[in-house]
Amino acid sequence: MSIRTSRTSEETYQAYASRPKRAGASSKHRGVSFRKQTQLWIAQVYWRGRRYFLGSFNTEREAALAYNIHAQRIIGELAVLNDLSPDDGARQEQRNQDLDDA
């Protein structure tokens, strides 16, 4: 006879949040997807069996930021957030701009 342990909702969330990115996903950010019908990015958070629709946004980055803000409010310290640091190209361009200004 095997002993079955049940996961807490926090453990279930951590397992879900750490899964590999789905091939063919429309967004590189967690909780963000693109809707062809409206040509807008949407953000949503799933927590404890509920879906929280956060809204529609013009850019993928705006939707990812909304996800981060609301995930922290809804999930708390367990929330796995999107990395919104600028990409290497933008950072290099900013460095060049800073050097030109100096």
Side-chain angles (χ1 to χ4, degrees):
M1 183 184 335
S2 66
I3 298 174
R4 185 177 214 181
T5 60
S6 62
R7 288 181 169 175
T8 65
S9 60
E10 288 78 11
E11 290 170 332
T12 301
Y13 169 75
Q14 288 297 328
Y16 170 79
S18 62
R19 76 196 186 289
K21 183 166 171 44
R22 187 173 58 91
S26 61
S27 174
K28 60 184 176 185
H29 297 292
R30 177 177 311 284
V32 176
S33 58
F34 186 72
R35 293 291 179 247
K36 289 181 184 178
Q37 301 87 346
T38 61
Q39 296 293 300
L40 294 172
W41 294 92
I42 66 160
Q44 47 194 351
V45 173
Y46 290 92
W47 178 242
R48 294 187 173 168
R50 289 193 59 200
R51 179 177 66 130
Y52 298 86
F53 179 76
L54 307 177
S56 300
F57 303 88
N58 290 322
T59 68
E60 184 178 15
R61 185 175 174 80
E62 289 173 347
L65 180 59
Y67 173 89
N68 283 358
I69 292 167
H70 288 85
Q72 284 179 320
R73 286 184 192 159
I74 295 167
I75 300 168
E77 64 185 34
L78 291 175
V80 177
L81 304 177
N82 293 306
D83 177 16
L84 296 177
S85 60
D87 65 327
D88 290 334
R91 268 187 266 157
Q92 183 62 43
E93 186 176 317
Q94 182 61 42
R95 271 189 239 127
N96 292 342
Q97 180 73 28
D98 291 344
L99 291 173
D100 290 344
D101 292 342

